[in-house]
């Protein structure tokens, strides 16, 4: 496999850059297998990465990971980023897998996932974590985009947004303004750097809480420093991307 060009200097890739560049080199100079490349750089806390053929026909992907502690991996960008998140957040990813596997064991695989599996999948694919001052959290929860990104722009120097979802990271290889993350709301209003810690994230993944989808949408290219165009305030005058809460004129995402 040949990976597409990835701009590792992009700010949203900073948490994954060291492992990502190492894995990309391993893909390029090894046998071309993403699983082999990830396995070469994995730490003891991460699962083993195996080729997709290791997943038996008819076996649920999440159930297989739970039972074997191995991650079947295809040779594509989606699974490449999934592996990088496993390396960076092994406890949180394992917690997601445990919850998915328990739901599958209870209900099987059906046409619909159910509220909990929907929330688990949403966070796994498109989730993000935010450490930010309370004023930014209030503006984000209210979808008050002008306050969040213009009026309180200076506060972003005290904030850190970390993208967790591997599908989200994949989409941002080709950045587009509408790309939106689902930010996990803090537990009991707790914020600070610990909110981005692997163990704390895993502990926050409580099934009863997740069933209520405790997420708020955030168009990631609105983050100061993440897109040159957003230096102009008019960047945010786009109601198809920066949507207000439902009931304020345009339905929210």
């Amino acid at each position: 496999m040949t990976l597409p060009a990835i701009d590792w200097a992009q700010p949203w890739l900073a948490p994954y850059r060291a492992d990502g560049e190492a894995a990309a080199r391993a893909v390029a100079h090894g046998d071309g297998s993403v699983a082999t490349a990830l396995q070469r750089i994995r730490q003891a806390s991460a699962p083993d990465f195996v080729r997709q053929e290791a997943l038996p026909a008819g076996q649920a992907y999440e159930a297989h990971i739970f039972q074997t502690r191995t991650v079947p991996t295809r040779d594509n960008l989606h699974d490449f980023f999934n592996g990088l998140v496993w390396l960076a957040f092994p406890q949180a990813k394992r917690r997601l897998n445990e919850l998915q596997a328990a739901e599958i064991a209870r209900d099987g695989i059906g046409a619909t996932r159910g509220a909990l599996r929907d929330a688990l999948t949403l966070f796994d694919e498109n989730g993000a974590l935010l450490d930010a001052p309370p004023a930014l959290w209030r503006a984000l929860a209210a979808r008050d985009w002008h306050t969040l990104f213009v009026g309180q722009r200076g506060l972003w120097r005290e904030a850190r947004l970390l993208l967790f979802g591997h599908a989200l990271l994949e989409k941002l290889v080709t950045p587009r303004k509408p790309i939106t993350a689902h930010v996990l709301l803090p537990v009991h209003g707790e914020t600070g750097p610990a909110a981005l810690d692997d163990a704390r994230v895993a502990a926050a993944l409580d099934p009863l809480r997740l069933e209520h989808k405790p997420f708020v949408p955030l168009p990631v290219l609105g983050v100061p420093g993440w897109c040159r165009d957003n230096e102009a305030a008019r960047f945010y005058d786009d109601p198809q991307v920066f949507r207000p809460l439902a009931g304020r004129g345009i339905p929210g995402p």
Side-chain angles (χ1 to χ4, degrees):
M1 176 196 177
T2 300
L3 288 171
I6 299 171
D7 183 0
W8 292 106
Q10 294 287 11
W12 51 83
L13 290 178
Y16 306 103
R17 182 171 184 172
D19 283 340
E21 288 185 320
R25 286 193 299 269
V27 170
H29 299 110
D31 62 5
S33 162
V34 172
T36 300
L38 292 168
Q39 185 68 10
R40 186 174 298 173
I41 66 170
R42 67 174 285 276
Q43 303 85 33
S45 58
D48 287 308
F49 298 95
V50 297
R51 293 174 185 263
Q52 181 68 16
E53 305 88 80
L55 178 65
Q59 172 78 359
Y61 170 77
E62 296 288 354
H64 181 79
I65 294 174
F66 180 75
Q67 293 165 9
T68 67
R69 295 297 191 261
T70 64
V71 180
T73 302
R74 299 166 297 181
D75 291 328
N76 60 28
L77 198 58
H78 188 84
D79 285 12
F80 176 77
F81 280 115
N82 183 48
L84 293 183
V85 180
W86 266 107
L87 294 177
F89 291 92
Q91 294 181 67
K93 288 285 281 186
R94 195 175 299 282
R95 177 60 174 160
L96 288 171
N97 174 248
E98 289 170 353
L99 293 172
Q100 288 274 22
E103 289 296 289
I104 292 169
R106 187 183 70 182
D107 299 330
I109 299 294
T112 59
R113 291 192 181 100
L116 178 56
R117 288 198 66 209
D118 274 347
L120 293 168
T121 301
L122 180 63
F123 184 62
D124 193 30
E125 298 278 349
N126 208 61
L129 305 164
L130 178 64
D131 168 28
L136 293 185
W137 271 113
R138 288 193 294 270
L140 176 60
R143 299 185 205 177
D144 182 352
W145 307 115
H146 187 274
T147 297
L148 180 65
F149 291 126
V150 181
Q152 298 286 0
R153 194 174 186 85
L155 283 180
W156 279 94
R157 290 191 291 270
E158 304 171 31
R160 183 183 174 202
L161 177 68
L162 193 152
L163 306 188
F164 184 94
H166 55 282
L168 179 62
L169 292 165
E170 179 190 15
K171 286 184 284 188
L172 281 164
V173 170
T174 306
R176 295 180 299 105
K177 188 176 181 179
I179 294 174
T180 298
H182 286 79
V183 179
L184 182 66
L185 292 168
V187 178
H188 305 307
E190 294 178 4
T191 58
L196 310 183
D197 175 75
D198 184 25
R200 290 286 291 273
V201 175
L205 298 174
D206 174 76
L208 295 178
R209 180 171 181 259
L210 288 171
E211 285 181 350
H212 298 285
K213 291 190 172 64
F215 309 111
V216 61
L218 174 63
V220 296
L221 293 187
V223 175
W226 282 29
C227 175
R228 183 175 300 175
D229 290 346
N230 76 29
E231 294 174 5
R234 64 179 178 275
F235 180 86
Y236 304 102
D237 296 335
D238 184 347
Q240 297 306 310
V241 174
F242 299 98
R243 303 180 185 183
L245 278 170
R248 292 173 57 189
I250 298 175

